[in-house]
Amino acid sequence: MKATLLIKNIENLYTCDKDFTILHHAFIACHHDKIIEINTGSYKEWLDPATRVIDAQGECVVPAFIDCQFKSFTHVRLGDQLRQDINALYAMRQNGILTLICNNPNSQRMKLEQDVFYKKNQPKLPVLHRLNELNDKIPETFLMSCGFGLPNSYVYSMAPMSYVLFQTHRVCSRTLLESMTSLPAKEFNLLDRGSIEIGKTADLLVLQVTTIEHYFQTLGRPLIHRMIKNGIQFYPEWMVC
């Protein structure tokens, strides 16, 4: 089996597995929608003439973000709800959120660029989703949401929250990254995503920084260089494998 997509020269690859393994100068090989190898060293055995190759030199790769508390526009007419939901989901997708957990079964969808799941169960971990609700007692472990759909909340990104938690409250980068990747995947039984491991779905973000710490300490500048869903790059342009 050869790779349909291969990302090479990754400065830092944050797997978000149970040990939070970080690989340096690494590569990821994907066969259609699944990850078939992550490693360092030579990747040539995974190549054939049809493999699409992305060079991530000077960049880091993380799992695509998961928002665990998306609230759709249920207070408006159905037609307006669908239109406004589509606009909100597009804005969140532009900020690396490729999977969402929703409170409305009518908002469920699985598309090439983004999945929305309806889940009835409430997470056991606390969810942080508003800057004005933060205090000095930040939970040791938590989930993160951009809080879109809550009253007077129209934030489409988790970057403002993570920036404040990292810079002001000194929350470590591992806790922040896990709160928007592996932990929500585990809480809502989305076991095919949330980490970069062999056999998992290839939902990936390539960031224009060498470390995730650089990402969390930057605000107001777009740092997502590439987005890959189900092993296919769709941002900044489609790359069909």
Side-chain angles (χ1 to χ4, degrees), residues 113-241:
E113 312 100 325
Q114 193 177 55
D115 297 330
V116 182
F117 297 101
Y118 168 62
K119 295 291 184 179
K120 294 181 180 179
N121 62 298
Q122 295 297 314
K124 297 177 182 178
L125 294 175
V127 180
L128 302 185
H129 44 51
R130 285 179 185 267
L131 290 173
N132 60 4
E133 292 177 354
L134 295 180
N135 52 46
D136 294 332
K137 296 182 179 179
I138 304 297
E140 183 176 343
T141 307
F142 55 85
L143 307 179
M144 197 185 307
S145 168
C146 62
F148 184 87
L150 295 173
N152 301 314
S153 180
Y154 299 97
V155 180
Y156 300 98
S157 170
M158 290 187 274
M161 176 74 75
S162 60
Y163 175 84
V164 172
L165 289 170
F166 186 73
Q167 294 286 78
T168 304
H169 297 273
R170 304 301 179 190
V171 177
C172 73
S173 57
R174 174 177 180 172
T175 299
L176 290 174
L177 187 56
E178 288 179 334
S179 74
M180 56 181 75
T181 55
S182 57
L183 287 181
K186 182 178 179 181
E187 282 284 298
F188 292 97
N189 202 34
L190 301 175
L191 302 182
D192 64 338
R193 66 195 68 200
S195 60
I196 302 175
E197 301 178 77
I198 295 174
K200 293 286 186 79
T201 300
D203 290 358
L204 310 167
L205 303 178
V206 181
L207 306 179
Q208 291 180 306
V209 286
T210 56
T211 68
I212 194 62
E213 288 79 13
H214 282 92
Y215 178 80
F216 289 138
Q217 68 187 19
T218 305
L219 192 62
R221 183 163 67 92
L223 294 176
I224 299 176
H225 184 196
R226 303 177 188 272
M227 288 190 264
I228 296 157
K229 184 81 177 77
N230 295 319
I232 299 175
Q233 176 185 291
F234 69 89
Y235 176 91
E237 67 275 323
W238 285 93
M239 180 185 287
V240 180
C241 300

Side-chain angles (χ1 to χ4, degrees), residues 70 73 83-93 148 156:
F70 171 64
F73 290 86
R83 182 174 62 256
Q84 294 188 49
D85 278 357
I86 289 171
N87 291 338
L89 291 171
Y90 172 81
M92 296 170 80
R93 185 168 69 242
F148 184 87
Y156 300 98

